[in-house]
Structure formats: C-alpha cells, structure tokens
Amino acid sequence: MCRQSRMSKGALNIPAESIPTSALTNTVCVSDPDGKWPVVQADAVKELSEFGEIARLDASLGVVARCILVTYFDVRAAQRLLLSSPGRVEPFPAAAHDCRIVRVELAAFSKKVPNVE
C-alpha cells in the first residue's frame, strides 16, 4: 500500500495549470500508518480539501491496510496531493463508479457559446 511521509503545506503553491492531466487518475491512496483516520472525520476532510474538492473519501481500508482513498473531482487536485507528499501518497486506479458525465442542453449551450462548430 502507500508508503509513509508527512504532508508538505508548501506544495499547495503549485499552479494547477502546469500539471498535465492526460492518462492520470483522480484517486489517491494516502498512507495512514498511525491509524488517525479509521473513519471519515472532519479533520481528514479539512486536510485533504486543501488540495481540491473531494468527490469521495473511502476509509474502508483504514484499519486493515492503514490507508485511505481520496477521489477528487479534478485530477489536478489529486496531482497536487501527490506532489505535496512523496512517499506517503500514490496514485490509485479509479473505481468503475468514479465516472462523471455532464449533460448539456444544446440550445442553452449554443446561446452561451454561439461559435461552436
């Protein structure tokens, strides 16, 4: 599972635009060697939200594997977390239900963006 380290607050200054997003996962495995997050708690949500908006936080592996899985809506948030905590976090394959689909009403979209071909 995930290796151990401590989160570095300094990495939050990485501009999201500079992180490429192709072929990346928005799910990250965060090592929890001390078992401080056995269930989803407000402090875990607060700490991990510093990197971006959380789509899913899974602590089901907390007791057995000493890690949690965090899925962000934006893959760049996951990359910021990965860059901030080398050795404590690692990419994790997305779950099958981590698919996001956006439906747009074509007429309303065309009014906002009339030059789309």
Side-chain angles (χ1 to χ4, degrees):
M1 278 291 158
C2 298
R3 295 170 293 276
Q4 299 178 16
S5 176
R6 294 284 176 228
M7 290 192 183
S8 164
K9 303 280 185 192
L12 294 175
N13 297 328
I14 299 169
E17 300 79 34
S18 68
I19 303 171
T21 60
S22 60
L24 299 175
T25 179
N26 59 339
T27 300
V28 178
C29 177
V30 181
S31 177
D32 183 24
D34 303 325
K36 73 174 191 172
W37 295 335
V39 294
V40 176
Q41 299 173 347
D43 60 335
V45 173
K46 182 179 178 182
E47 185 174 348
L48 295 167
S49 292
E50 293 178 15
F51 300 94
E53 187 177 359
I54 296 173
R56 180 172 58 94
L57 191 55
D58 181 354
S60 63
L61 299 173
V63 175
V64 177
R66 298 283 191 193
C67 69
I68 61 170
L69 301 177
V70 58
T71 302
Y72 291 97
F73 284 106
D74 190 335
V75 70
R76 294 170 297 185
Q79 294 305 301
R80 283 191 292 267
L81 175 56
L82 286 165
L83 291 171
S84 76
S85 307
R88 182 177 181 200
V89 298
E90 59 189 44
F92 197 84
H97 58 273
D98 282 344
C99 175
R100 285 163 191 78
I101 298 172
V102 177
R103 283 191 168 173
V104 178
E105 183 184 347
L106 187 56
F109 181 75
S110 296
K111 288 179 184 177
K112 299 237 182 222
V113 187
N115 295 328
V116 175
E117 295 178 14

